[in-house]
Amino acid sequence: MKSAVTYPREKTKLSSEAIFWLAFVHVGALAAIPFFSWSALGVCLLLLFTISPIGVTLTYHRMLTHRAFRVPKWLEYSLATIGALSAQGSPLQWVAGHRVHHQFADTENDPHTPRKGFFFSHMGHLLVQSTQTTEDWMKYVPDLSSQKFYQFLHR
């Protein structure tokens, strides 16, 4: 019988980059209040309902993580670029993390385990940075990391 793949529990540290980015976005949103316009709100909503469901849910999750469907390469790369606009990391980072999540779902090895609480599993994991190297994570996405386009988006 083949032994199960194990994923060593990684050490994490607070990510100053993630904290800075989240603070910047929220301060920027507050600073934009005096410049409110309905057209700007419309653009904001259009981007919100394009980037998240199409870029992240459809592309990062269903197409790249689970390979639930295939599209021509030009469309796959276009959709992955929309996903990269979500500020949730490159397709390589997101897909690797999500594949690890599915491999170790709801255990201590899950990168966003609910065992650490509701906040951590939904947002808190975004504020920590893995101490593992990029090479450690890339073993979970050999199908994507071999493509120059995804390497470009990752950089």
Side-chain angles (χ1 to χ4, degrees), residues 129-149:
Q129 177 180 4
S130 169
T131 57
Q132 292 203 334
T133 65
T134 299
E135 291 77 28
D136 292 331
W137 284 99
M138 291 307 108
K139 68 182 177 184
Y140 290 97
V141 287
D143 54 328
L144 300 178
S145 62
S146 63
Q147 298 178 48
K148 291 198 181 299
F149 180 77

Side-chain angles (χ1 to χ4, degrees), residues 115-132:
R115 292 176 183 255
K116 290 187 176 182
F118 180 83
F119 177 78
F120 181 84
S121 65
H122 288 86
M123 290 178 45
H125 71 278
L126 300 172
L127 303 177
V128 295
Q129 177 180 4
S130 169
T131 57
Q132 292 203 334

Side-chain angles (χ1 to χ4, degrees), residues 29 60 81 90 97 110 118 147 154:
Y60 278 14
T81 302
S90 75
D110 183 344
F118 180 83
Q147 298 178 48
H154 186 69

